[in-house]
Structure formats: structure tokens, C-alpha cells
Amino acid sequence: MKLRRSLAVAAAVAVATPVALFAATPALATGMSTAQTQNQPTYAELVRAADDAKEAYEEAVTVKEVALKKLRATVDALDSDTHPLKAAVLVANKAAQEATAAQAAAEKAVAGAEAALEAAEGDTEKADAQQALETAQADLTGAVEAQRKAGAEAKKANAALSDARIAAAREYSLVQDAPATTLKAKEAADAALAAAKECVRENGLTALAVGLPSEVAAGTTTGFTLRVTNGTDRTLTVDPLAFVHVEGEGPHEKSRLEVEWSNGSDWQALTGNGAEHIAHIDVMKPGEQHDVKLRMRAGSAAESGEAFALFAGDASDAYNPCVLGPMKRYDFTLLPTGGKPGPAEEAEPGLPGDDDDKRPGAAKPGSDTGHSAQGGGTSEQAAATGTDTDGNLAETGSSSTAPAALAGAAAVALGAGAVFAVRRRKATGTV
């Protein structure tokens, strides 16, 4: 029976899933070590367990409803005079009643014969009375036996009807509590899955800019590298997060800075109006490092001012669909066309602010953009500047990032200027 299999799965989830997973994990909890995850169900297993528990619960509800209808139909049928068992009861009860009445009549006849015998006079009258008494006593004996048999038949018929009712009720009782039982298993499986969905913090997953200057002149193209390092003990699927904006631009206003990243064969353009995941890395083992080439151009008409870039590593693994590395903010100055940048100094990574983990409206970590990170291994080479024959960034078409997710309060704050003007810091360190 399919219900039994589903109930077994649900029960297994309730028993096998660690109790710790049933409690909601605090957001951005520190990631577990490899030793801690050895006996932990994978995220895929938790999804399957939750699906199985949901199926078991829904099936239990359906089976209970069907069983209740069947019970009511059976009871109604047993109560019908046309049902064989009920008809047998009616016949047996009537026969028992008639036998009881016959016995009562026979007992009355015996009493009458005994009275007649006492009142008889003479030998002939007494002999006749004695004969009548013996006949009445024989009839009473037969009536008593008939009443006993009729009573037994009635008892048997009534017991058969009662057993049928009890059997119907017992069959229903087998599934009566199944919804409550499977609901507990479902709630436990859902809680475990919800806990696994909570974002966990991995400070060892870093995304740092290499070669991004502290000053950029309008009309020029600047190349730099985003270096992603998996300094955790997890094997991760990583989606580096990038956001480049000019102070004062609105939260959804297209940036005056044109930014592209290389997938190794061509250039992909950032939309410029929100944070985006780039250079999807399907498998990144502990200790591995990937370099992603980027290039940025400020149009010749761009005004001077302050700008910033945000980079972070968003990832997932077999146990958590949301693993967040620390976000770094890089402040740099936009110079007008013809402006002369000072000595080549790289922008220093700073702390983006209290809401650094409230990622801007970018694709969910782990989503495959269809592009692999450029380069890999432990390459130390900075990205080269790429321009066309006119000195402009190459045309690349639309961005390949996934739909927006993980939107937070910072999605509005980023680009609003006022908030980040307060948050701007030059201090370095790990968030």
C-alpha cells in the first residue's frame, strides 16, 4: 500500500534527521566544518525528505477521508433491514421472542394442570388431571429447549452484526491517527529544510579586487582582476557578486560606469543598474583560487566625483543553498576627461557597512549563469585592459545574470549615496 511506504519515509525523516536541524538556524550562522557535516543530511536529501513527508501527510489525509466514508457507508448498510446480517438478527430476535412467549404459555399450562390435579376428585378425574399435567410438563420442556436454541441463534446473529460494526471501526482506526502522525513528521522535515536554507557565513570565501586604481579618468578604460579564493574547507559552487556605482546615482539608475567581465572567450556586460552575479564557478575546492578579468570605462562626458565597487563571494554547497562570504567595498575617484591620475595606487578594500550581508538585488547564489570564471588555479597575473580599435569597450549585449533574489534593505541603500556617504570607510580588515 502506497500509504505505508509514505508513512515509513515520514517516520524515517522524523527519526533520522538530527534534532539540531529541526530548530531554525540563525541567519548568517558560521558554516560547519567537514567533520560536522559527515553525518548531516545533504540539502538534496532534506528536500526529498520534506517532499516525501508532505506526500505522506497528504496521502494520510486522503486515506482517512476515504476510510471515514467507507465506515459510514458500512454502518449505514449494517443498519439496513435488507442487509443479510441485520435481516438474520431480525429473524433470530423474532424467533427468540416467540419461543419466550411459548415457554411462558407452557409454564402457565403446567401451573393450570397442577391446579386441576389438586382439585380433582375421584380416581378417574385424578388420572385425567395427572395425564394433562404430564403432557403440559413435556410441552414446557420442549418450549424451554426451543427458547434456549432461539436465544442462542439470536445471540449469534447479534454478535455477527456487532462484529461487523467493530471490524469496520477497527479498519478506520488504523488510519485515523495517520494525519496527526505524518503532520509531525512533515513539520520536522520542513523545519530541517528551513534551517538548511538559512544563509551561513564563511569568512574564508573572499572576493578581492586586484589592480583597481584609486583614481579613474573619464574617457579611459581601466582593467583589473577580481580574485576569488575558497579559503574554507567546503567544496563550493560560487557566484561572485559585483556592483559598481557612482555616488549619487539612484538605486535603480543605470550607472555611468560601463563594466564588463571576461568568460575567457568574450566579454559580458554588467547591466549597471544593480548588483549582479558573474563568472559562475561550478566546482571550487578548498584552497582553490579563480581570477576574473574585468574592465571599466567612464564615458568622456562623465562628471568628476566619487564612485565605489562592491565585491563578494556568494555560494552554495551540498548542505546549504546560501553560503555568503564577506563583502568588500572599494572607493575610488572619478576624474574629468583629461584628468591626470596620481601615482598608480590600488583602491583599498574597506568595510561596506552594517548591512554588508544584505546583498543587493542579485541572482540567488548557486544559480548557473552559463559562464565559467576566466582563468583559475593560482594565477597572479592581473587582468589586461581590453578595447576595440576606437578605444571603447566591446559590445557584448545583455547580462547573463539570473533573476533577482536575496533582495534586502541594502538594495535600496546601494546607489542612494546618502547611506553610503555615512558608511564610507577606508579601514581594511575582514567584515
Side-chain angles (χ1 to χ4, degrees):
M1 183 176 181
K2 188 178 181 183
L3 173 63
R4 293 177 182 172
R5 179 192 62 78
S6 298
L7 291 178
V9 172
V13 172
V15 173
T17 305
V19 176
L21 292 177
F22 293 167
T25 302
L28 302 179
T30 302
M32 290 183 288
S33 67
T34 301
Q36 289 174 303
T37 60
Q38 286 180 347
N39 298 319
Q40 178 189 357
T42 65
Y43 182 72
E45 289 172 339
L46 290 177
V47 170
R48 287 195 297 271
D51 289 343
D52 287 345
K54 178 175 181 290
E55 180 183 357
Y57 169 68
E58 292 175 347
E59 189 172 349
V61 171
T62 300
V63 170
K64 179 180 178 180
E65 292 174 349
V66 172
L68 183 58
K69 290 180 180 178
K70 181 179 179 181
L71 172 63
R72 289 171 176 168
T74 301
V75 171
D76 290 343
L78 291 172
D79 286 340
S80 173
D81 292 347
T82 60
H83 192 282
L85 293 177
K86 182 63 177 293
V89 167
L90 294 176
V91 171
N93 286 346
K94 183 179 179 181
Q97 291 172 357
E98 291 175 348
T100 299
Q103 180 180 337
E107 290 173 348
K108 185 176 181 181
V110 169
E114 289 175 343
L117 179 60
E118 289 180 3
E121 296 179 357
D123 293 340
T124 302
E125 186 176 350
K126 288 182 178 180
D128 291 340
Q130 181 63 41
Q131 181 64 40
L133 176 59
E134 291 175 357
T135 300
Q137 288 175 336
D139 290 342
L140 176 58
T141 299
V144 170
E145 179 62 20
Q147 195 282 332
R148 185 189 66 77
K149 290 182 177 180
E153 288 297 324
K155 183 178 180 180
K156 181 179 178 181
N158 280 277
L161 180 60
S162 177
D163 288 346
R165 289 196 177 102
I166 292 174
R170 183 179 294 114
E171 182 179 355
Y172 172 69
S173 70
L174 296 177
V175 297
Q176 182 179 12
D177 297 330
T181 301
T182 54
L183 178 60
K184 291 180 181 179
K186 176 181 178 299
E187 290 172 344
D190 288 343
L193 181 60
K197 287 181 179 179
E198 293 289 343
C199 293
V200 295
R201 182 61 168 267
E202 284 287 6
N203 288 331
L205 175 61
T206 59
L208 302 176
V210 178
L212 176 63
S214 59
E215 293 181 340
V216 175
T220 63
T221 297
T222 300
F224 61 97
T225 297
L226 178 61
R227 180 157 296 156
V228 182
T229 303
N230 181 9
T232 75
D233 58 2
R234 298 168 175 254
T235 295
L236 298 171
T237 295
V238 183
D239 290 282
L241 186 76
F243 184 69
V244 183
H245 222 52
V246 177
E247 293 280 15
E249 293 178 336
H252 301 295
E253 180 181 353
K254 185 174 179 60
S255 177
R256 286 170 282 170
L257 297 172
E258 302 172 14
V259 182
E260 295 178 329
W261 62 276
S262 174
N263 64 8
S265 58
D266 57 7
W267 292 90
Q268 308 291 318
L270 299 184
T271 62
N273 55 8
E276 302 168 50
H277 286 121
I278 64 173
H280 174 79
I281 307 168
D282 192 51
V283 177
M284 194 172 190
K285 296 180 179 180
E288 284 190 347
Q289 177 176 288
H290 287 260
D291 285 352
V292 184
K293 292 181 179 180
L294 292 96
R295 60 190 186 186
M296 175 177 62
R297 178 181 175 83
S300 57
E303 300 177 359
S304 60
E306 299 300 319
F308 65 90
L310 292 174
F311 299 109
D314 289 353
S316 63
D317 68 2
Y319 302 96
N320 297 93
C322 179
V323 178
L324 303 179
M327 183 179 287
K328 293 297 182 181
R329 171 173 175 142
Y330 294 81
D331 293 289
F332 56 94
T333 301
L334 286 179
L335 302 177
T337 302
K340 299 293 185 181
E345 294 183 0
E346 290 189 20
E348 294 292 332
L351 307 181
D354 295 335
D355 291 331
D356 69 301
D357 283 306
K358 293 182 179 179
R359 301 301 206 242
K364 185 176 181 180
S367 58
D368 192 346
T369 61
H371 299 285
S372 300
Q374 196 292 126
T378 57
S379 172
E380 298 294 330
Q381 182 179 359
T385 299
T387 59
D388 58 19
T389 54
D390 297 322
N392 298 317
L393 289 175
E395 296 290 337
T396 60
S398 62
S399 168
S400 60
T401 56
L406 294 180
V412 176
L414 291 172
V419 174
F420 272 95
V422 176
R423 288 179 176 177
R424 283 182 60 190
R425 302 186 180 108
K426 291 292 185 181
T428 61
T430 301
V431 178

